[in-house]
Amino acid sequence: GDSVTQMEGPVTLSEEAFLTINCTYTATGYPSLFWYVQYPGEGLQLLLKATKADDKGSNKGFEATYRKETTSFHLEKGSVQVSDSAVYFCALRVNSGYSTLTFGKGTMLLVSP
Amino acid sequence: DTEVTQTPKHLVMGMTNKKSLKCEQHMGHRAMYWYKQKAKKPPELMFVYSYEKLSINESVPSRFSPECPNSSLLNLHLHALQPEDSALYLCASSQGRGEDEKLFFGSGTQLSVL
């Protein structure tokens, strides 16, 4: 079946540090890939997405590139801020009629001043 | 309006109570979803409605009863819940078709069953 594996957290960084959160996937079809962010006490917000190989999704300084050869979609940001502290979920969707996402377990990011 | 609105934000109920969670969107989306999220876990899909008809039920116990009165509203009726049902319940919506499908989530209802 489809699955997403994310690196264990929490990831603890100082402000302005470089961020990488690893994500790999297995899928029977040809998936679209997503990163969602969840701030404390809130629902999930779509951060970025990519629908085909070599696509790069980007938003708010975050980037991720769809790598079919390594089945990966690692999240990166060059300089994190305290306000980036949240839980980040990698997810995939095998194209079908509905957006039934398969989520990774989530990675908590803690950024200190 | 790109919001999915859920009410109430918090709910405490006893195991014999009957309560309902409500979800509303005005983006013209034709697919609506209920997810359950336990603390420090990813969301788990419960139900999918497409064009106001139940399309997916992920083997959810019958004490959870979804309802889609119209294309903008989605309810989740709760009855005789167990303490292990305490979780964050998230509603989401999407256009319901196309490769560029995106899920929009509400902020959730934090449910505590005593």
Side-chain angles (χ1 to χ4, degrees):
Chain A
D2 302 335
S3 67
V4 176
T5 303
Q6 286 181 240
M7 58 190 293
E8 293 274 339
V11 173
T12 304
L13 295 172
S14 298
E15 205 164 25
E16 300 183 2
F18 184 85
L19 168 71
T20 300
I21 300 178
N22 290 337
C23 171
T24 58
Y25 67 90
T26 58
T28 51
Y30 193 49
S32 296
L33 301 173
F34 304 83
W35 277 101
Y36 279 85
V37 58
Q38 186 173 32
Y39 297 100
E42 297 187 11
L44 280 72
Q45 301 174 26
L46 178 64
L47 182 59
L48 53 86
K49 69 180 179 76
T51 57
K52 59 184 186 295
D54 300 325
D55 267 2
K56 178 186 280 188
S58 62
N59 186 25
K60 300 181 182 178
F62 291 90
E63 293 183 341
T65 300
Y66 190 144
R67 300 284 187 205
K68 188 179 178 186
E69 64 276 14
T70 54
T71 62
S72 65
F73 193 55
H74 305 320
L75 182 67
E76 296 182 337
K77 186 175 185 182
S79 176
V80 293
Q81 305 300 311
V82 172
S83 56
D84 294 327
S85 299
V87 179
Y88 292 80
F89 291 96
C90 185
L92 69 81
R93 176 175 68 89
V94 177
N95 288 329
S96 65
Y98 315 112
S99 279
T100 50
L101 295 171
T102 299
F103 286 95
K105 292 188 175 181
T107 303
M108 179 178 286
L109 170 64
L110 299 171
V111 181
S112 56
Chain B
D1 184 359
T2 57
E3 279 194 358
V4 176
T5 304
Q6 289 187 246
T7 55
K9 288 194 179 301
H10 303 275
L11 179 63
V12 179
M13 61 186 289
M15 289 189 284
T16 58
N17 291 158
K18 285 185 182 181
K19 297 286 185 184
S20 296
L21 310 184
K22 297 186 183 302
C23 174
E24 190 169 3
Q25 58 86 16
H26 296 288
M27 294 179 276
H29 288 172
R30 304 318 299 256
M32 297 186 76
Y33 309 74
W34 281 115
Y35 281 83
K36 173 182 178 180
Q37 186 179 22
K38 302 283 277 186
K40 301 185 191 246
K41 299 288 186 184
E44 298 176 353
L45 183 66
M46 300 175 73
F47 302 105
V48 180
Y49 272 82
S50 177
Y51 291 83
E52 301 163 46
K53 295 204 180 328
L54 183 63
S55 299
I56 295 178
N57 177 342
E58 292 286 355
S59 303
V60 179
S62 60
R63 57 186 185 268
F64 295 92
S65 175
E67 178 197 19
C68 189
N70 61 56
S71 60
S72 299
L73 295 174
L74 185 66
N75 299 322
L76 186 62
H77 303 298
L78 314 172
H79 174 54
L81 293 194
Q82 304 297 311
E84 59 264 29
D85 296 321
S86 298
L88 180 67
Y89 287 84
L90 293 165
C91 174
S93 70
S94 70
Q95 286 184 331
R97 63 187 180 278
E99 203 173 84
D100 200 32
E101 268 283 88
K102 287 183 282 194
L103 268 185
F104 291 80
F105 282 87
S107 296
T109 294
Q110 187 66 55
L111 174 67
S112 297
V113 181
L114 304 179

